[in-house]
C-alpha cells in the first residue's frame, strides 16, 4: 500500500536582499545636507558682502540647485536598488540611473536659460555656489565611500568549491 505524497510547504516569498550600498547612499544624503547648510551659510554671507541681498539670493539658489542635483543622483540609485536581485535588475538599474542623469542635465539647462538674465541673480555668486556644491558633493561621496569599510565584492555569491574525488 502506498501513501499519497504529502505536499511540501512552499517557502514564503522573500524579497531579494538589500544591496549593501543603501546605508552608504543614505549617509551621503545626510552628509550632503550638512554640506548644503554650510554652503548656504558661507555663500549667503560672502554673497551678501559682495552683492547685497542679490548675492544672498543667488547663493541660496545655487546651493538649492546643487542639493537637488546631488539628491537626484543618490535618489535615483536608491530607487534603482529596489530592483536589485530581480531578473531585469541590470536594465532597470541603468535605465533609472541614466534617466536621473538625463533629468539633471535637462533641468540644469532649463534653469540656466531661465536664470540667465534675471535682475535678482548675481551670476558670479550663483556660479560659485553651484561649483562649491558640486566639488563638495564629490568630496562627501569620496569620504563616505572611503570610510564605509565595504569590501569590493560585497553582494556576490560565490559558487561552491569543487570537491576532490
Amino acid at each position: 500500500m502506498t501513501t499519497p505524497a504529502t505536499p511540501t510547504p512552499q517557502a514564503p516569498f522573500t524579497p531579494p536582499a538589500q544591496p549593501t550600498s543603501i546605508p552608504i547612499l543614505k549617509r551621503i544624503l545626510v552628509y550632503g545636507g550638512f554640506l548644503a547648510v554650510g554652503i548656504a551659510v558661507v555663500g549667503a554671507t560672502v554673497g551678501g558682502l559682495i552683492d547685497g541681498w542679490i548675492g544672498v539670493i543667488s547663493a541660496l539658489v545655487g546651493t538649492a540647485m546643487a542639493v537637488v542635483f546631488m539628491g537626484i543622483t543618490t535618489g535615483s540609485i536608491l530607487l534603482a536598488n529596489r530592483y536589485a536581485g530581480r531578473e531585469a535588475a541590470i536594465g532597470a538599474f541603468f535605465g533609472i540611473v541614466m534617466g536621473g542623469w538625463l533629468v539633471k542635465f535637462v533641468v540644469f539647462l532649463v534653469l540656466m536659460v531661465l536664470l540667465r538674465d534675471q535682475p535678482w541673480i548675481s551670476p558670479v555668486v550663483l556660479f560659485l555656489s553651484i561649483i562649491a556644491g558640486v566639488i563638495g558633493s564629490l568630496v562627501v561621496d569620496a569620504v563616505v565611500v572611503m570610510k564605509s569599510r565595504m569590501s569590493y565584492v560585497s553582494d556576490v555569491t560565490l559558487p561552491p568549491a569543487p570537491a576532490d574525488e
Side-chain angles (χ1 to χ4, degrees):
M1 173 175 344
T2 60
T3 58
T6 57
T8 59
Q10 296 210 353
F13 173 74
T14 56
Q18 193 179 54
T20 55
S21 62
I22 289 180
I24 294 169
L25 293 168
K26 288 180 179 178
R27 198 171 315 128
I28 286 172
L29 282 175
V30 170
Y31 289 0
F34 291 133
L35 170 74
V37 170
I39 292 172
V41 168
V42 171
T45 303
V46 172
L49 293 172
I50 292 172
D51 214 357
W53 68 272
I54 292 175
V56 172
I57 291 174
S58 300
L60 295 178
V61 168
T63 302
M65 288 174 59
V67 167
V68 167
F69 295 145
M70 180 191 62
I72 289 173
T73 300
T74 308
S76 69
I77 296 171
L78 284 171
L79 176 66
N81 274 339
R82 293 177 181 237
Y83 293 98
R86 297 192 183 138
E87 195 163 318
I90 299 295
F93 182 88
F94 286 110
I96 291 170
V97 173
M98 290 300 288
W101 288 341
L102 184 62
V103 166
K104 278 188 350 181
F105 181 67
V106 170
V107 168
F108 179 77
L109 289 178
V110 168
L111 285 173
M112 288 297 100
V113 169
L114 290 175
L115 295 174
R116 178 179 50 197
D117 295 325
Q118 296 300 321
W120 48 274
I121 291 291
S122 170
V124 172
V125 176
L126 178 71
F127 174 76
L128 292 175
S129 295
I130 292 172
I131 294 299
V134 169
I135 293 172
S137 68
L138 291 173
V139 169
V140 164
D141 292 349
V143 167
V144 169
V145 169
M146 285 188 331
K147 291 185 177 231
S148 68
R149 300 181 52 100
M150 186 171 83
S151 65
Y152 294 111
V153 290
S154 61
D155 296 331
V156 174
T157 303
L158 298 175
D164 289 336
E165 291 182 27

